[in-house]
PDB file of all heavy atoms in Angstrom:
ATOM      1  N   TYR J  43     147.948  93.074 137.447  1.00  0.00           N
ATOM      2  CA  TYR J  43     148.216  94.525 137.429  1.00  0.00           C
ATOM      3  C   TYR J  43     147.615  95.225 138.665  1.00  0.00           C
ATOM      4  O   TYR J  43     148.248  96.012 139.311  1.00  0.00           O
ATOM      5  CB  TYR J  43     147.666  95.166 136.174  1.00  0.00           C
ATOM      6  CG  TYR J  43     147.927  96.664 136.128  1.00  0.00           C
ATOM      7  CD1 TYR J  43     149.175  97.178 135.868  1.00  0.00           C
ATOM      8  CD2 TYR J  43     146.878  97.548 136.343  1.00  0.00           C
ATOM      9  CE1 TYR J  43     149.401  98.546 135.861  1.00  0.00           C
ATOM     10  CE2 TYR J  43     147.085  98.878 136.346  1.00  0.00           C
ATOM     11  CZ  TYR J  43     148.325  99.392 136.046  1.00  0.00           C
ATOM     12  OH  TYR J  43     148.540 100.772 136.031  1.00  0.00           O
ATOM     13  N   LEU J  44     146.357  94.877 138.982  1.00  0.00           N
ATOM     14  CA  LEU J  44     145.703  95.489 140.140  1.00  0.00           C
ATOM     15  C   LEU J  44     145.676  94.588 141.340  1.00  0.00           C
ATOM     16  O   LEU J  44     144.807  94.647 142.240  1.00  0.00           O
ATOM     17  CB  LEU J  44     144.235  95.792 139.774  1.00  0.00           C
ATOM     18  CG  LEU J  44     144.063  96.880 138.674  1.00  0.00           C
ATOM     19  CD1 LEU J  44     142.623  96.964 138.238  1.00  0.00           C
ATOM     20  CD2 LEU J  44     144.526  98.224 139.184  1.00  0.00           C
ATOM     21  N   ARG J  45     146.679  93.702 141.463  1.00  0.00           N
ATOM     22  CA  ARG J  45     146.744  92.717 142.537  1.00  0.00           C
ATOM     23  C   ARG J  45     146.730  93.441 143.913  1.00  0.00           C
ATOM     24  O   ARG J  45     147.519  94.381 144.146  1.00  0.00           O
ATOM     25  CB  ARG J  45     148.039  91.860 142.445  1.00  0.00           C
ATOM     26  CG  ARG J  45     148.125  90.764 143.524  1.00  0.00           C
ATOM     27  CD  ARG J  45     149.362  89.960 143.327  1.00  0.00           C
ATOM     28  NE  ARG J  45     149.295  89.206 142.089  1.00  0.00           N
ATOM     29  CZ  ARG J  45     148.720  88.068 141.938  1.00  0.00           C
ATOM     30  NH1 ARG J  45     148.156  87.469 142.960  1.00  0.00           N
ATOM     31  NH2 ARG J  45     148.695  87.435 140.772  1.00  0.00           N
ATOM     32  N   GLN J  46     145.847  93.007 144.780  1.00  0.00           N
ATOM     33  CA  GLN J  46     145.743  93.565 146.107  1.00  0.00           C
ATOM     34  C   GLN J  46     146.388  92.679 147.144  1.00  0.00           C
ATOM     35  O   GLN J  46     146.480  91.451 147.006  1.00  0.00           O
ATOM     36  CB  GLN J  46     144.233  93.744 146.460  1.00  0.00           C
ATOM     37  CG  GLN J  46     143.485  94.617 145.463  1.00  0.00           C
ATOM     38  CD  GLN J  46     144.095  95.987 145.317  1.00  0.00           C
ATOM     39  OE1 GLN J  46     144.163  96.724 146.278  1.00  0.00           O
ATOM     40  NE2 GLN J  46     144.550  96.293 144.139  1.00  0.00           N
ATOM     41  N   PRO J  47     146.929  93.277 148.281  1.00  0.00           N
ATOM     42  CA  PRO J  47     147.536  92.443 149.306  1.00  0.00           C
ATOM     43  C   PRO J  47     146.513  91.414 149.850  1.00  0.00           C
ATOM     44  O   PRO J  47     145.415  91.736 150.198  1.00  0.00           O
ATOM     45  CB  PRO J  47     147.909  93.457 150.384  1.00  0.00           C
ATOM     46  CG  PRO J  47     147.970  94.792 149.642  1.00  0.00           C
ATOM     47  CD  PRO J  47     146.973  94.692 148.571  1.00  0.00           C
ATOM     48  N   ALA J  48     146.984  90.212 149.941  1.00  0.00           N
ATOM     49  CA  ALA J  48     146.118  89.169 150.550  1.00  0.00           C
ATOM     50  C   ALA J  48     146.451  88.945 152.005  1.00  0.00           C
ATOM     51  O   ALA J  48     145.827  88.076 152.632  1.00  0.00           O
ATOM     52  CB  ALA J  48     146.327  87.866 149.774  1.00  0.00           C
ATOM     53  N   VAL J  49     147.443  89.633 152.496  1.00  0.00           N
ATOM     54  CA  VAL J  49     147.844  89.493 153.898  1.00  0.00           C
ATOM     55  C   VAL J  49     147.626  90.833 154.596  1.00  0.00           C
ATOM     56  O   VAL J  49     148.019  91.904 154.113  1.00  0.00           O
ATOM     57  CB  VAL J  49     149.360  89.096 153.969  1.00  0.00           C
ATOM     58  CG1 VAL J  49     149.843  89.061 155.394  1.00  0.00           C
ATOM     59  CG2 VAL J  49     149.596  87.817 153.219  1.00  0.00           C
ATOM     60  N   ALA J  50     147.031  90.783 155.773  1.00  0.00           N
ATOM     61  CA  ALA J  50     146.728  92.002 156.556  1.00  0.00           C
ATOM     62  C   ALA J  50     148.074  92.706 156.929  1.00  0.00           C
ATOM     63  O   ALA J  50     149.016  92.092 157.289  1.00  0.00           O
ATOM     64  CB  ALA J  50     145.964  91.604 157.817  1.00  0.00           C
ATOM     65  N   GLY J  51     147.961  94.041 156.868  1.00  0.00           N
ATOM     66  CA  GLY J  51     149.118  94.847 157.288  1.00  0.00           C
ATOM     67  C   GLY J  51     150.014  95.275 156.125  1.00  0.00           C
ATOM     68  O   GLY J  51     150.881  96.159 156.293  1.00  0.00           O
ATOM     69  N   LEU J  52     149.882  94.632 154.956  1.00  0.00           N
ATOM     70  CA  LEU J  52     150.668  95.104 153.811  1.00  0.00           C
ATOM     71  C   LEU J  52     150.143  96.358 153.217  1.00  0.00           C
ATOM     72  O   LEU J  52     148.976  96.614 153.173  1.00  0.00           O
ATOM     73  CB  LEU J  52     150.679  93.971 152.706  1.00  0.00           C
ATOM     74  CG  LEU J  52     151.400  92.704 153.008  1.00  0.00           C
ATOM     75  CD1 LEU J  52     151.288  91.750 151.779  1.00  0.00           C
ATOM     76  CD2 LEU J  52     152.848  92.953 153.297  1.00  0.00           C
ATOM     77  N   PRO J  53     151.034  97.269 152.724  1.00  0.00           N
ATOM     78  CA  PRO J  53     150.599  98.541 152.177  1.00  0.00           C
ATOM     79  C   PRO J  53     149.840  98.191 150.850  1.00  0.00           C
ATOM     80  O   PRO J  53     150.194  97.274 150.137  1.00  0.00           O
ATOM     81  CB  PRO J  53     151.841  99.294 151.904  1.00  0.00           C
ATOM     82  CG  PRO J  53     152.928  98.259 151.818  1.00  0.00           C
ATOM     83  CD  PRO J  53     152.557  97.167 152.746  1.00  0.00           C
ATOM     84  N   PRO J  54     148.821  98.981 150.490  1.00  0.00           N
ATOM     85  CA  PRO J  54     148.144  98.775 149.214  1.00  0.00           C
ATOM     86  C   PRO J  54     149.059  99.041 148.056  1.00  0.00           C
ATOM     87  O   PRO J  54     149.965  99.899 148.124  1.00  0.00           O
ATOM     88  CB  PRO J  54     146.986  99.829 149.256  1.00  0.00           C
ATOM     89  CG  PRO J  54     147.468 100.860 150.212  1.00  0.00           C
ATOM     90  CD  PRO J  54     148.293 100.148 151.223  1.00  0.00           C
ATOM     91  N   ALA J  55     148.817  98.373 147.005  1.00  0.00           N
ATOM     92  CA  ALA J  55     149.639  98.497 145.807  1.00  0.00           C
ATOM     93  C   ALA J  55     149.386  99.875 145.159  1.00  0.00           C
ATOM     94  O   ALA J  55     148.263 100.401 145.257  1.00  0.00           O
ATOM     95  CB  ALA J  55     149.305  97.410 144.756  1.00  0.00           C
ATOM     96  N   ARG J  56     150.417 100.439 144.548  1.00  0.00           N
ATOM     97  CA  ARG J  56     150.300 101.747 143.916  1.00  0.00           C
ATOM     98  C   ARG J  56     149.746 101.608 142.514  1.00  0.00           C
ATOM     99  O   ARG J  56     150.305 100.888 141.712  1.00  0.00           O
ATOM    100  CB  ARG J  56     151.693 102.433 143.901  1.00  0.00           C
ATOM    101  CG  ARG J  56     152.208 102.758 145.227  1.00  0.00           C
ATOM    102  CD  ARG J  56     153.581 103.441 145.175  1.00  0.00           C
ATOM    103  NE  ARG J  56     154.564 102.597 144.512  1.00  0.00           N
ATOM    104  CZ  ARG J  56     155.742 102.977 144.094  1.00  0.00           C
ATOM    105  NH1 ARG J  56     156.059 104.239 144.156  1.00  0.00           N
ATOM    106  NH2 ARG J  56     156.603 102.140 143.512  1.00  0.00           N
ATOM    107  N   HIS J  57     148.701 102.337 142.207  1.00  0.00           N
ATOM    108  CA  HIS J  57     148.133 102.320 140.879  1.00  0.00           C
ATOM    109  C   HIS J  57     147.648 103.737 140.545  1.00  0.00           C
ATOM    110  O   HIS J  57     147.513 104.595 141.410  1.00  0.00           O
ATOM    111  CB  HIS J  57     146.957 101.369 140.783  1.00  0.00           C
ATOM    112  CG  HIS J  57     147.330  99.903 141.087  1.00  0.00           C
ATOM    113  ND1 HIS J  57     148.186  99.198 140.352  1.00  0.00           N
ATOM    114  CD2 HIS J  57     146.879  99.132 142.127  1.00  0.00           C
ATOM    115  CE1 HIS J  57     148.339  98.007 140.919  1.00  0.00           C
ATOM    116  NE2 HIS J  57     147.547  97.929 141.947  1.00  0.00           N
ATOM    117  N   GLY J  58     147.370 103.916 139.258  1.00  0.00           N
ATOM    118  CA  GLY J  58     146.821 105.225 138.802  1.00  0.00           C
ATOM    119  C   GLY J  58     145.410 105.421 139.307  1.00  0.00           C
ATOM    120  O   GLY J  58     144.741 104.413 139.705  1.00  0.00           O
ATOM    121  N   ALA J  59     144.979 106.637 139.236  1.00  0.00           N
ATOM    122  CA  ALA J  59     143.629 106.984 139.743  1.00  0.00           C
ATOM    123  C   ALA J  59     142.568 106.205 139.003  1.00  0.00           C
ATOM    124  O   ALA J  59     141.578 105.783 139.624  1.00  0.00           O
ATOM    125  CB  ALA J  59     143.438 108.517 139.642  1.00  0.00           C
ATOM    126  N   ALA J  60     142.678 106.100 137.679  1.00  0.00           N
ATOM    127  CA  ALA J  60     141.637 105.447 136.942  1.00  0.00           C
ATOM    128  C   ALA J  60     141.525 103.951 137.326  1.00  0.00           C
ATOM    129  O   ALA J  60     140.453 103.436 137.428  1.00  0.00           O
ATOM    130  CB  ALA J  60     141.932 105.545 135.403  1.00  0.00           C
ATOM    131  N   ALA J  61     142.674 103.332 137.558  1.00  0.00           N
ATOM    132  CA  ALA J  61     142.678 101.913 137.953  1.00  0.00           C
ATOM    133  C   ALA J  61     142.059 101.782 139.328  1.00  0.00           C
ATOM    134  O   ALA J  61     141.284 100.790 139.598  1.00  0.00           O
ATOM    135  CB  ALA J  61     144.074 101.362 137.963  1.00  0.00           C
ATOM    136  N   VAL J  62     142.338 102.661 140.280  1.00  0.00           N
ATOM    137  CA  VAL J  62     141.784 102.561 141.608  1.00  0.00           C
ATOM    138  C   VAL J  62     140.261 102.740 141.557  1.00  0.00           C
ATOM    139  O   VAL J  62     139.537 102.036 142.238  1.00  0.00           O
ATOM    140  CB  VAL J  62     142.444 103.647 142.504  1.00  0.00           C
ATOM    141  CG1 VAL J  62     141.681 103.660 143.866  1.00  0.00           C
ATOM    142  CG2 VAL J  62     143.915 103.329 142.704  1.00  0.00           C
ATOM    143  N   ARG J  63     139.791 103.723 140.759  1.00  0.00           N
ATOM    144  CA  ARG J  63     138.347 103.892 140.651  1.00  0.00           C
ATOM    145  C   ARG J  63     137.603 102.674 140.053  1.00  0.00           C
ATOM    146  O   ARG J  63     136.588 102.243 140.504  1.00  0.00           O
ATOM    147  CB  ARG J  63     138.044 105.133 139.758  1.00  0.00           C
ATOM    148  CG  ARG J  63     138.318 106.475 140.431  1.00  0.00           C
ATOM    149  CD  ARG J  63     137.700 107.584 139.637  1.00  0.00           C
ATOM    150  NE  ARG J  63     138.143 107.661 138.232  1.00  0.00           N
ATOM    151  CZ  ARG J  63     139.185 108.345 137.855  1.00  0.00           C
ATOM    152  NH1 ARG J  63     139.921 109.045 138.705  1.00  0.00           N
ATOM    153  NH2 ARG J  63     139.573 108.323 136.572  1.00  0.00           N
ATOM    154  N   LEU J  64     138.281 102.089 139.041  1.00  0.00           N
ATOM    155  CA  LEU J  64     137.727 100.888 138.396  1.00  0.00           C
ATOM    156  C   LEU J  64     137.576  99.789 139.432  1.00  0.00           C
ATOM    157  O   LEU J  64     136.521  99.118 139.503  1.00  0.00           O
ATOM    158  CB  LEU J  64     138.646 100.465 137.233  1.00  0.00           C
ATOM    159  CG  LEU J  64     138.253  99.106 136.566  1.00  0.00           C
ATOM    160  CD1 LEU J  64     136.923  99.242 135.889  1.00  0.00           C
ATOM    161  CD2 LEU J  64     139.344  98.759 135.519  1.00  0.00           C
ATOM    162  N   LEU J  65     138.610  99.519 140.195  1.00  0.00           N
ATOM    163  CA  LEU J  65     138.585  98.446 141.170  1.00  0.00           C
ATOM    164  C   LEU J  65     137.499  98.705 142.254  1.00  0.00           C
ATOM    165  O   LEU J  65     136.719  97.830 142.578  1.00  0.00           O
ATOM    166  CB  LEU J  65     139.935  98.254 141.829  1.00  0.00           C
ATOM    167  CG  LEU J  65     140.134  97.146 142.786  1.00  0.00           C
ATOM    168  CD1 LEU J  65     139.890  95.811 142.083  1.00  0.00           C
ATOM    169  CD2 LEU J  65     141.567  97.156 143.399  1.00  0.00           C
ATOM    170  N   HIS J  66     137.408  99.984 142.719  1.00  0.00           N
ATOM    171  CA  HIS J  66     136.481 100.270 143.752  1.00  0.00           C
ATOM    172  C   HIS J  66     135.037 100.168 143.255  1.00  0.00           C
ATOM    173  O   HIS J  66     134.190  99.621 143.960  1.00  0.00           O
ATOM    174  CB  HIS J  66     136.724 101.743 144.286  1.00  0.00           C
ATOM    175  CG  HIS J  66     135.705 102.169 145.273  1.00  0.00           C
ATOM    176  ND1 HIS J  66     135.756 101.744 146.591  1.00  0.00           N
ATOM    177  CD2 HIS J  66     134.661 103.016 145.153  1.00  0.00           C
ATOM    178  CE1 HIS J  66     134.746 102.289 147.279  1.00  0.00           C
ATOM    179  NE2 HIS J  66     134.080 103.114 146.411  1.00  0.00           N
ATOM    180  N   ARG J  67     134.768 100.668 142.094  1.00  0.00           N
ATOM    181  CA  ARG J  67     133.410 100.640 141.574  1.00  0.00           C
ATOM    182  C   ARG J  67     132.903  99.241 141.286  1.00  0.00           C
ATOM    183  O   ARG J  67     131.786  98.905 141.557  1.00  0.00           O
ATOM    184  CB  ARG J  67     133.286 101.542 140.315  1.00  0.00           C
ATOM    185  CG  ARG J  67     133.426 103.019 140.550  1.00  0.00           C
ATOM    186  CD  ARG J  67     133.001 103.777 139.319  1.00  0.00           C
ATOM    187  NE  ARG J  67     131.592 103.499 139.026  1.00  0.00           N
ATOM    188  CZ  ARG J  67     131.070 103.775 137.855  1.00  0.00           C
ATOM    189  NH1 ARG J  67     131.773 104.247 136.816  1.00  0.00           N
ATOM    190  NH2 ARG J  67     129.809 103.491 137.650  1.00  0.00           N
ATOM    191  N   THR J  68     133.753  98.397 140.730  1.00  0.00           N
ATOM    192  CA  THR J  68     133.311  97.016 140.454  1.00  0.00           C
ATOM    193  C   THR J  68     133.102  96.212 141.719  1.00  0.00           C
ATOM    194  O   THR J  68     132.173  95.421 141.802  1.00  0.00           O
ATOM    195  CB  THR J  68     134.296  96.361 139.517  1.00  0.00           C
ATOM    196  OG1 THR J  68     135.677  96.472 140.072  1.00  0.00           O
ATOM    197  CG2 THR J  68     134.332  96.889 138.124  1.00  0.00           C
ATOM    198  N   ARG J  69     133.982  96.414 142.696  1.00  0.00           N
ATOM    199  CA  ARG J  69     133.856  95.618 143.917  1.00  0.00           C
ATOM    200  C   ARG J  69     132.603  95.994 144.695  1.00  0.00           C
ATOM    201  O   ARG J  69     132.077  95.172 145.462  1.00  0.00           O
ATOM    202  CB  ARG J  69     135.058  95.833 144.831  1.00  0.00           C
ATOM    203  CG  ARG J  69     136.379  95.242 144.247  1.00  0.00           C
ATOM    204  CD  ARG J  69     137.529  95.467 145.190  1.00  0.00           C
ATOM    205  NE  ARG J  69     137.457  94.672 146.381  1.00  0.00           N
ATOM    206  CZ  ARG J  69     138.414  94.504 147.238  1.00  0.00           C
ATOM    207  NH1 ARG J  69     139.571  95.138 147.030  1.00  0.00           N
ATOM    208  NH2 ARG J  69     138.256  93.801 148.304  1.00  0.00           N
ATOM    209  N   ASN J  70     132.088  97.183 144.462  1.00  0.00           N
ATOM    210  CA  ASN J  70     130.894  97.625 145.244  1.00  0.00           C
ATOM    211  C   ASN J  70     129.638  97.754 144.341  1.00  0.00           C
ATOM    212  O   ASN J  70     128.640  98.326 144.804  1.00  0.00           O
ATOM    213  CB  ASN J  70     131.197  98.958 145.913  1.00  0.00           C
ATOM    214  CG  ASN J  70     132.287  98.841 146.951  1.00  0.00           C
ATOM    215  OD1 ASN J  70     132.089  98.429 148.066  1.00  0.00           O
ATOM    216  ND2 ASN J  70     133.506  99.261 146.540  1.00  0.00           N
ATOM    217  N   HIS J  71     129.657  97.257 143.160  1.00  0.00           N
ATOM    218  CA  HIS J  71     128.562  97.409 142.244  1.00  0.00           C
ATOM    219  C   HIS J  71     127.475  96.359 142.608  1.00  0.00           C
ATOM    220  O   HIS J  71     127.741  95.183 142.748  1.00  0.00           O
ATOM    221  CB  HIS J  71     128.976  97.225 140.815  1.00  0.00           C
ATOM    222  CG  HIS J  71     128.058  97.912 139.816  1.00  0.00           C
ATOM    223  ND1 HIS J  71     126.751  97.485 139.577  1.00  0.00           N
ATOM    224  CD2 HIS J  71     128.263  99.020 139.038  1.00  0.00           C
ATOM    225  CE1 HIS J  71     126.208  98.302 138.666  1.00  0.00           C
ATOM    226  NE2 HIS J  71     127.092  99.196 138.317  1.00  0.00           N
ATOM    227  N   PRO J  72     126.223  96.813 142.714  1.00  0.00           N
ATOM    228  CA  PRO J  72     125.131  95.900 143.146  1.00  0.00           C
ATOM    229  C   PRO J  72     124.777  94.824 142.059  1.00  0.00           C
ATOM    230  O   PRO J  72     124.134  93.868 142.435  1.00  0.00           O
ATOM    231  CB  PRO J  72     123.942  96.829 143.384  1.00  0.00           C
ATOM    232  CG  PRO J  72     124.239  98.051 142.555  1.00  0.00           C
ATOM    233  CD  PRO J  72     125.728  98.213 142.552  1.00  0.00           C
ATOM    234  N   ARG J  73     125.152  95.079 140.787  1.00  0.00           N
ATOM    235  CA  ARG J  73     124.806  94.138 139.735  1.00  0.00           C
ATOM    236  C   ARG J  73     125.963  93.313 139.290  1.00  0.00           C
ATOM    237  O   ARG J  73     125.884  92.559 138.312  1.00  0.00           O
ATOM    238  CB  ARG J  73     124.135  94.892 138.580  1.00  0.00           C
ATOM    239  CG  ARG J  73     122.756  95.363 138.816  1.00  0.00           C
ATOM    240  CD  ARG J  73     122.100  95.962 137.583  1.00  0.00           C
ATOM    241  NE  ARG J  73     122.778  97.163 137.180  1.00  0.00           N
ATOM    242  CZ  ARG J  73     122.487  98.415 137.707  1.00  0.00           C
ATOM    243  NH1 ARG J  73     121.532  98.499 138.617  1.00  0.00           N
ATOM    244  NH2 ARG J  73     123.138  99.445 137.271  1.00  0.00           N
ATOM    245  N   ILE J  74     127.092  93.365 140.019  1.00  0.00           N
ATOM    246  CA  ILE J  74     128.230  92.508 139.686  1.00  0.00           C
ATOM    247  C   ILE J  74     128.537  91.521 140.791  1.00  0.00           C
ATOM    248  O   ILE J  74     128.643  91.886 141.931  1.00  0.00           O
ATOM    249  CB  ILE J  74     129.501  93.397 139.483  1.00  0.00           C
ATOM    250  CG1 ILE J  74     129.322  94.364 138.273  1.00  0.00           C
ATOM    251  CG2 ILE J  74     130.745  92.559 139.266  1.00  0.00           C
ATOM    252  CD1 ILE J  74     130.459  95.338 138.095  1.00  0.00           C
ATOM    253  N   VAL J  75     128.516  90.256 140.444  1.00  0.00           N
ATOM    254  CA  VAL J  75     128.766  89.161 141.384  1.00  0.00           C
ATOM    255  C   VAL J  75     130.120  88.543 140.975  1.00  0.00           C
ATOM    256  O   VAL J  75     130.391  88.199 139.869  1.00  0.00           O
ATOM    257  CB  VAL J  75     127.692  88.081 141.322  1.00  0.00           C
ATOM    258  CG1 VAL J  75     128.088  86.937 142.235  1.00  0.00           C
ATOM    259  CG2 VAL J  75     126.387  88.716 141.703  1.00  0.00           C
TER     260      VAL J  75
END
Side-chain angles (χ1 to χ4, degrees):
Y43 178 75
L44 294 170
R45 183 179 294 276
Q46 302 302 299
V49 177
L52 290 179
R56 295 179 298 167
H57 300 297
V62 173
R63 286 195 302 271
L64 174 64
L65 186 61
H66 176 76
R67 290 193 61 199
T68 50
R69 291 181 72 169
N70 296 281
H71 204 291
R73 286 186 293 275
I74 298 177
V75 176

